[in-house]
Amino acid sequence: MEFKDYYQIMGVARDATQDDIKRAHRKLARKYHPDVSKEKNAEVRFKELGEAYEVLKDPEKRAAYDQLGANWKAGQDFRPPPDWNAGAEYAGSGFERGFGGGDTGDHSDFFESLFRQGFARAGKRAGSPGGGRRTFSAKGEDHHAKIQIDLEDAYAGTTRTLSLRVPEMDDQGHVLAREHQITFTIPKGIRAGQHIRLAGQGAPGMGEGGAGDLYLEVEFRPHPLYRVDKHDVYMDLPVAPWEAALGAEVEAPTPTGQVEVKIPAGSPNGRKLRLKGRGLPGTTPGDFYLVLQIVLPAADIESAKTFYEGMAKQFSAFKPRAKLGGKS
């Protein structure tokens, strides 16, 4: 699929005003209209022109296209990055009846790869099949983005301020991206994969339709100590060989503070100690698991080497690889 330079097709500069774009469209539409034009490939050029105008006349679609198109040239092999418009306030603008009153099915693969999904969803909401020119209302598209939080935020709850981009037109008809900030609450006990809904922060609606919503999918930032599995939290707890063999009481960190933990005698490496209800909070809170990791002291001095040699003699009957079928 080739990248289409809609500004080149329209014969206008990238900083053209909306009036410039309208004038260019009127002029070229007369020149290439299939019913009157004698130009070669008039029908193809007329469709390309209509598609370019469909994007550039709409402030939201134009802003989205400008965001992506700055790094591409006409004719280049093109595949839109999967997250090219993630979190953009103008992503996925509302439904319109295609260029020149035609069916959106006339758009190119390039156009549909960027905008078709938004047309289809909003068109179903609007209930507008073919026919003449009509006015309708449609709710704006919902937007989706991801937000990373710290695990501690999920334990305690917090507030966050987010900057959003909104396309708007200046007095000269240029499309600009205006930033505004919104403060919202991250609720206590939220889990990875859940969504925070910011009502009315999606794409603007059409007619009397209200704005869509913005859904933020929660992800946890990697933590140096903890890892999360649904509502349970895990931590590797280093222990000395004698603590695992003889048993011990040690202190261990958790997201809510230090706790005293009893290590049972004879604990093997990888044993899980469960702290009930100390996982992510909620109606049914998760559990916190300490996974024992036996850490061996280094044999880097003579006395340590002598100690390990003594252990080898003391435990000569111990066969660590017996279950593997080996003789040693």
Side-chain angles (χ1 to χ4, degrees):
M1 178 169 56
E2 292 184 352
F3 180 82
K4 288 183 175 291
D5 188 333
Y6 290 139
Y7 291 100
Q8 186 180 89
I9 291 171
M10 293 283 295
V12 297
R14 283 190 168 271
D15 61 352
T17 67
Q18 295 302 104
D19 287 341
D20 292 337
I21 290 170
K22 289 178 183 178
R23 283 193 293 269
H25 176 255
R26 284 196 298 267
K27 177 182 177 181
L28 294 174
R30 287 194 298 267
K31 180 178 180 180
Y32 291 108
H33 196 288
D35 292 342
V36 297
S37 178
K38 296 181 180 180
E39 300 283 341
K40 291 183 178 180
N41 300 322
E43 184 175 356
V44 173
R45 290 284 288 115
F46 186 73
K47 286 184 177 181
E48 287 183 338
L49 176 66
E51 180 175 304
Y53 185 56
E54 183 69 29
V55 173
L56 299 186
K57 74 177 182 180
D58 184 301
E60 293 180 356
K61 287 196 283 291
R62 183 179 178 183
Y65 174 77
D66 286 347
Q67 177 193 7
L68 181 68
N71 300 318
W72 297 85
K73 294 182 179 179
Q76 282 187 316
D77 187 45
F78 173 77
R79 287 292 182 274
D83 58 349
W84 72 272
N85 61 356
E89 185 69 358
Y90 42 73
S93 60
F95 174 79
E96 294 182 37
R97 278 190 37 78
F99 50 84
D103 192 315
T104 54
D106 290 337
H107 292 94
S108 68
D109 291 342
F110 170 78
F111 180 95
E112 293 196 3
S113 70
L114 301 184
F115 301 107
R116 174 67 167 173
Q117 187 176 5
F119 287 156
R121 288 197 299 266
K124 291 178 181 177
R125 286 198 300 269
S128 56
R133 193 178 187 87
R134 62 182 65 189
T135 301
F136 59 86
S137 297
K139 181 185 176 183
E141 285 295 302
D142 292 335
H143 293 171
H144 296 265
K146 292 186 178 182
I147 183 172
Q148 288 193 330
I149 67 172
D150 294 323
L151 179 61
E152 290 81 358
D153 294 336
Y155 268 86
T158 187
T159 58
R160 178 74 63 84
T161 299
L162 183 67
S163 293
L164 300 176
R165 289 171 293 163
V166 182
E168 62 178 24
M169 201 176 302
D170 64 14
D171 295 338
Q172 287 74 44
H174 297 116
V175 177
L176 305 174
R178 176 178 63 84
E179 287 198 0
H180 77 277
Q181 293 187 327
I182 181 171
T183 299
F184 59 95
T185 298
I186 296 174
K188 181 178 179 179
I190 196 164
R191 299 170 187 177
Q194 290 186 321
H195 292 79
I196 298 172
R197 173 175 170 262
L198 304 183
Q201 297 300 321
M206 300 184 67
E208 297 180 0
D213 301 327
L214 173 60
Y215 290 88
L216 301 175
E217 182 181 351
V218 172
E219 291 181 344
F220 289 129
R221 292 191 183 94
H223 199 284
L225 294 180
Y226 312 120
R227 56 188 181 275
V228 183
D229 183 8
K230 297 179 181 177
H231 58 287
D232 295 330
V233 181
Y234 293 77
M235 188 193 81
D236 291 336
L237 180 65
V239 294
W242 49 89
E243 291 174 329
L246 305 176
E249 290 188 1
V250 301
E251 273 198 347
T254 74
T256 55
Q258 295 286 117
V259 294
E260 289 282 344
V261 180
K262 183 176 181 180
I263 300 173
S267 291
N269 190 65
R271 181 171 186 169
K272 296 177 183 177
L273 305 181
R274 175 180 172 227
L275 303 182
K276 185 177 180 181
R278 285 185 174 268
L280 287 175
T283 305
T284 303
D287 298 325
F288 188 87
Y289 290 90
L290 295 166
V291 184
L292 302 185
Q293 300 294 329
I294 299 176
V295 181
L296 297 175
D300 53 357
I301 56 176
E302 280 303 316
S303 59
K305 292 179 182 178
T306 300
F307 178 81
Y308 276 113
E309 289 168 355
M311 282 186 65
K313 294 177 182 178
Q314 181 71 27
F315 295 100
S316 58
F318 177 59
K319 305 296 181 184
R321 292 170 293 282
K323 292 184 179 180
L324 302 179
K327 295 182 180 181
S328 59

